[in-house]
Amino acid sequence: MARALTLGNGRLTVNFDSRLVLRELYFPHVGMFSHVEGRRNMIGVWEGGRFAWIDADSWNRSIRYREDTMVSECRAVNPGLGVELSITDCVHYRENIFLRRITARNASAAARQVRLFFVNDLCINESDIGDTAYYDPDSGSIVHHKRGRFFCFGGRAHGGGFSQFTVGKKRFGGAEGTWRDAEDGCLEGHSVSHGSVDSTVSFWLDLGPYVEATVHYWMCVADGAAEAMRLNALVTSTGADDLIEETATYWKRWLARAPLKRSDLSDGAAACYRRSLLLTRAALDHGGGVLASTDLDIMMTNRDHYSYVWPRDAALAARSLALAGYPECSRAFLQYAARTVTDRGFFWPKYHADGTVGSSWHPREGPFLPVQEDETGLVAFLAGEHLRLFGDVEFLSRVYSDLVKRIGVFLSEYRDDRAGLPLPSHDLWEERRGVFIWTCSAVYAGLKAAGDLASVFEPAVAARFYQAAAEVGRAVRSNLYSPRAGRFVRGFLLESDGSCRIDHTIESSAYGVVLMGVLNPLSDESIATMNAIRESLWIKTGVGGVCRYPNDWYFRVTHDPSTPGNPWFVCSLWLASWHIAAARSLDDLEFPRTVLEWAPAHALETGIMSEQLHPFSGEPLSVAPLTWSHSTYVNAFLDYEAKWLKLST
């Protein structure tokens, strides 16, 4: 199930599904560690002997963000219970506090008592072994802890604390969990338990006809009991409402630095741009890594997930934030990259937010490294963009030798001496090994960027990197363009005997030759290739969008030859960006404008975009949000705005 909301501050992150159930909780990094493991941390409502959990079909839900903030404004109505809930959630922009305000309204003409229940089902540090939960009478809170990590749950209603609480065993020895205790409207009041445990608290609200009352509930997270209690005291002294409004104000001020809409794009497209900026920023960990996604539902089909830093996705996301005017974000990722790059100057396929190497399924065979070389090139490309955009030589001087120069040396040497192309590596989709058009373009861009920085800090070295870039660029044009096909091919596939054979597959990622500056967008080769992508890979079911390549297997839902795969936001926006780059009149912007309007129309109600869409229903497939989808939207939006202004004057 796609995540409808993600809220975070770079240390504490929470995700909600489309039924308003909290499904992910990460601390102390974005995407690391997971402390609920997809379990249902939810709200329950009791009235007059009837009970309903928030994820029941009896609720009508509306899920939104407050405009231009990382604060949610949701509504849940249960006609059978006659109860309406207005729910505001956020993670404080600075402190590691999750804040929740719920206003419950009695929608009947009779006075009634409505009881709200909150379930806290934690698996601290990704395990429910050895957890402790207890009621702390001094603070009036429930505390969960393990190995120095503390979660303190507090709340207020009618000027007082919890009406009832209980802690107990879960999913062990026949005990389902304290959530089951809530369904009769009363809690047993157990004050401590350990092992596999959860807790539930309640607030009893006496409501007259059509009267409403507000409950505040919060969670403070810290490494250490003293800090958790400090945060709890901060909420009680300052007030949850003031902390929520502080957070809303912060994100509005942060977003105010981004350019305003200045073209014929709709307000909806502009809102999608701003939401994409916020969601890309939410994926940026305080240590500088940018997470691909924090949606763990992918683990239902694979015992791994997307909560990693892929240098490719991260570099492109940091670039989008830089293009929008946030140099501190690209600076943070480049510092992260300088800490994680290998001594040889390349990156492993993916990393955790703390900089440790992530999982991989790439085998080591022969002399070729089990890497995706485009990731290494794109990090250097980002450094070059940071220099071009901000002239930030003071910062770049600190990462030049350990990061950019190392990358430049590696990229210039890890090549075939005869062809000038990079040696085989895995493609950007992590599916095949060979020499591919996207990877070659990224290597070209990385070498050119290394030359740009060397010309500032070490001019004697710059010529070496520029020469290698030129050799790669020439080799791309001479080896990867097929006159017979009239377009660029995917690349060369590495065979088991070490030889390579040409792969004529048409690939949406061939846009890389334009994105990374190998070719002018108006070159004959670029035009022929991108037109072929539009003709062959556009989904003609009414949903629209572009798939990755013909017969794409990943999450495939049909083998209908008219539908070569599922539409991806990234691939669709690449095609739009090429049309923008190639546009010579306002009329030429019509197609990319439709794509920039298409993307928000196929996002969730909250503006969150998935990786893929179902080609017939348009429903989200794979993870959501996908940072790459949002950062690519930012790029395409900015490209469109700049070209529209240029052509309008």
Side-chain angles (χ1 to χ4, degrees):
M1 183 184 294
R3 299 301 178 246
L5 291 168
T6 185
L7 307 166
N9 63 8
R11 288 179 171 83
L12 175 62
T13 303
V14 297
N15 289 341
F16 290 87
D17 66 22
S18 60
R19 291 177 176 260
L20 286 174
V21 176
L22 191 156
R23 294 288 299 279
E24 279 96 26
L25 163 60
Y26 298 101
F27 179 83
H29 295 280
V30 180
M32 182 184 182
F33 293 93
S34 170
H35 300 292
V36 301
E37 293 289 271
R39 300 296 179 180
R40 296 160 68 236
N41 287 256
M42 51 192 173
I43 303 167
V45 177
W46 179 95
E47 188 283 321
R50 299 173 297 170
F51 189 93
W53 293 110
I54 195 69
D55 60 350
D57 292 338
S58 55
W59 292 93
N60 299 316
R61 290 167 288 265
S62 172
I63 305 176
R64 291 184 173 85
Y65 286 100
R66 187 185 299 184
E67 185 179 6
D68 293 346
T69 74
M70 290 298 287
V71 176
S72 69
E73 298 284 6
C74 303
R75 185 171 172 80
V77 177
N78 192 310
L81 291 179
V83 175
E84 301 172 358
L85 303 179
S86 298
I87 307 170
T88 300
D89 293 328
C90 74
V91 170
H92 191 267
Y93 76 94
R94 184 185 68 250
E95 305 285 2
N96 296 317
I97 309 169
F98 168 66
L99 298 151
R100 164 165 276 177
R101 178 177 63 225
I102 298 184
T103 299
R105 180 176 182 270
N106 174 11
S108 77
R112 299 185 300 163
Q113 185 177 83
V114 174
R115 303 177 187 178
L116 300 185
F117 292 83
F118 298 85
V119 176
N120 312 306
D121 185 350
L122 302 186
C123 299
I124 300 175
N125 295 344
E126 304 183 353
S127 166
D128 58 7
I129 298 173
D131 289 5
T132 296
Y134 66 89
Y135 175 71
D136 177 54
D138 293 334
S139 62
S141 63
I142 294 288
V143 178
H144 290 234
H145 71 89
K146 181 168 65 186
R147 297 175 187 164
R149 188 149 286 158
F150 282 76
F151 299 77
C152 179
F153 297 90
R156 290 289 184 272
H158 295 320
F162 308 144
S163 298
Q164 290 186 335
F165 65 85
T166 196
V167 300
K169 301 289 186 184
K170 66 180 182 187
R171 298 187 292 277
F172 182 78
E176 295 179 87
T178 59
W179 62 272
R180 183 64 80 185
D181 186 24
E183 292 179 339
D184 65 357
C186 294
L187 298 173
E188 294 297 323
H190 298 301
S191 61
V192 64
S193 188
H194 71 102
S196 179
V197 297
D198 68 352
S199 63
T200 301
V201 303
S202 68
F203 298 88
W204 295 14
L205 308 175
D206 294 315
L207 301 178
Y210 307 111
V211 169
E212 61 185 33
T214 296
V215 172
H216 294 98
Y217 192 61
W218 59 85
M219 173 185 65
C220 305
V221 188
D223 285 329
E227 174 64 5
M229 289 303 168
R230 182 193 73 81
L231 294 173
N232 186 68
L234 175 66
V235 183
T236 56
S237 62
T238 304
D241 280 335
D242 285 350
L243 295 173
I244 290 170
E245 295 311 310
E246 282 179 15
T247 300
T249 299
Y250 174 85
W251 288 115
K252 282 181 176 289
R253 294 285 179 85
W254 183 87
L255 200 58
R257 295 164 55 191
L260 298 174
K261 181 176 78 71
R262 300 166 294 177
S263 70
D264 62 344
L265 290 170
S266 69
D267 291 343
C272 183
Y273 163 69
R274 296 193 300 273
R275 179 58 52 199
S276 291
L277 279 172
L278 288 167
L279 289 167
T280 303
R281 176 61 181 83
L284 176 62
D285 180 69
H286 68 93
V290 186
L291 278 292
S293 179
T294 53
D295 176 0
L296 287 183
D297 259 9
I298 193 76
M299 291 182 67
M300 292 191 297
T301 58
N302 182 24
R303 295 308 293 168
D304 212 336
H305 47 74
Y306 279 41
S307 292
Y308 291 105
V309 179
W310 272 268
R312 170 196 317 103
D313 303 42
L316 292 172
R319 177 178 179 264
S320 73
L321 291 170
L323 290 169
Y326 297 92
E328 69 276 12
C329 297
S330 52
R331 191 181 299 124
F333 175 69
L334 288 168
Q335 289 172 318
Y336 174 92
R339 295 194 303 271
T340 54
V341 69
T342 64
D343 290 342
R344 285 189 60 185
F346 65 84
F347 291 92
W348 297 112
K350 61 180 183 285
Y351 296 81
H352 297 285
D354 65 357
T356 54
V357 177
S359 63
S360 177
W361 52 92
H362 299 329
R364 178 68 184 263
E365 296 175 354
F368 306 121
L369 292 167
V371 299
Q372 303 153 42
E373 195 180 354
D374 68 302
E375 300 195 296
T376 300
L378 286 169
V379 172
F381 176 52
L382 171 65
E385 291 286 84
H386 190 86
L387 175 66
R388 178 181 67 85
L389 292 166
F390 309 114
D392 193 1
V393 294
E394 182 176 352
F395 164 72
L396 290 169
S397 69
R398 299 197 293 270
V399 297
Y400 168 71
S401 295
D402 290 341
L403 179 65
V404 181
K405 183 178 179 181
R406 280 183 181 175
I407 289 175
V409 171
F410 172 77
L411 295 178
S412 61
E413 293 179 350
Y414 198 68
R415 292 188 298 141
D416 185 299
D417 293 336
R418 297 162 299 173
L421 291 169
L423 291 175
S425 68
H426 284 84
D427 69 343
L428 77 163
W429 311 125
E430 305 182 309
E431 294 175 350
R432 55 194 63 84
R433 178 178 282 182
V435 181
F436 304 105
I437 183 68
W438 170 273
T439 302
C440 293
S441 301
V443 169
Y444 168 87
L447 284 165
K448 187 176 182 302
D452 291 343
L453 270 75
S455 67
V456 175
F457 304 115
E458 202 172 10
V461 177
R464 174 186 177 187
F465 297 150
Y466 284 139
Q467 179 180 345
E471 291 169 356
V472 172
R474 286 194 297 270
V476 167
R477 292 189 290 272
S478 61
N479 292 287
L480 295 177
Y481 185 82
S482 168
R484 178 170 64 84
R487 56 171 172 79
F488 281 105
V489 298
R490 175 188 276 162
F492 296 94
L493 290 175
L494 181 64
E495 303 285 28
S496 58
D497 62 1
S499 64
C500 287
R501 66 172 176 85
I502 194 166
D503 182 351
H504 285 92
T505 303
I506 187 167
E507 258 275 11
S508 61
S509 65
Y511 168 65
V513 297
V514 174
L515 173 65
M516 269 81 90
V518 180
L519 288 179
N520 184 293
L522 289 172
S523 69
D524 291 342
E525 300 97 326
S526 299
I527 293 171
T529 300
M530 299 308 296
N531 283 339
I533 288 171
R534 181 173 174 179
E535 176 61 30
S536 300
L537 302 183
W538 186 266
I539 305 304
K540 301 175 179 66
T541 61
V543 171
V546 175
C547 68
R548 297 189 299 174
Y549 53 80
N551 300 312
D552 186 354
W553 63 274
Y554 192 47
F555 283 94
R556 187 163 189 178
V557 300
T558 179
H559 291 281
D560 185 332
S562 67
T563 307
N566 303 329
W568 283 50
F569 284 101
V570 167
C571 303
S572 306
L573 292 163
W574 281 343
L575 180 60
S577 288
W578 174 77
H579 276 277
I580 294 165
R584 287 175 283 188
S585 70
L586 288 174
D587 288 343
D588 293 336
L589 291 178
E590 176 59 24
F591 174 77
R593 186 185 65 79
T594 62
V595 176
L596 283 163
E597 303 290 354
W598 167 89
H602 287 83
L604 300 180
E605 181 183 13
T606 55
I608 280 177
M609 287 188 277
S610 59
E611 178 184 71
Q612 310 174 40
L613 297 171
H614 192 291
F616 297 108
S617 70
E619 293 298 310
L621 293 176
S622 189
V623 297
L626 182 73
T627 304
W628 200 4
S629 296
H630 287 283
S631 67
T632 308
Y633 192 89
V634 169
N635 291 349
F637 184 93
L638 292 173
D639 289 345
Y640 187 96
E641 294 267 284
K643 181 57 76 75
W644 189 90
L645 281 173
K646 180 179 179 180
L647 295 174
S648 297
T649 57

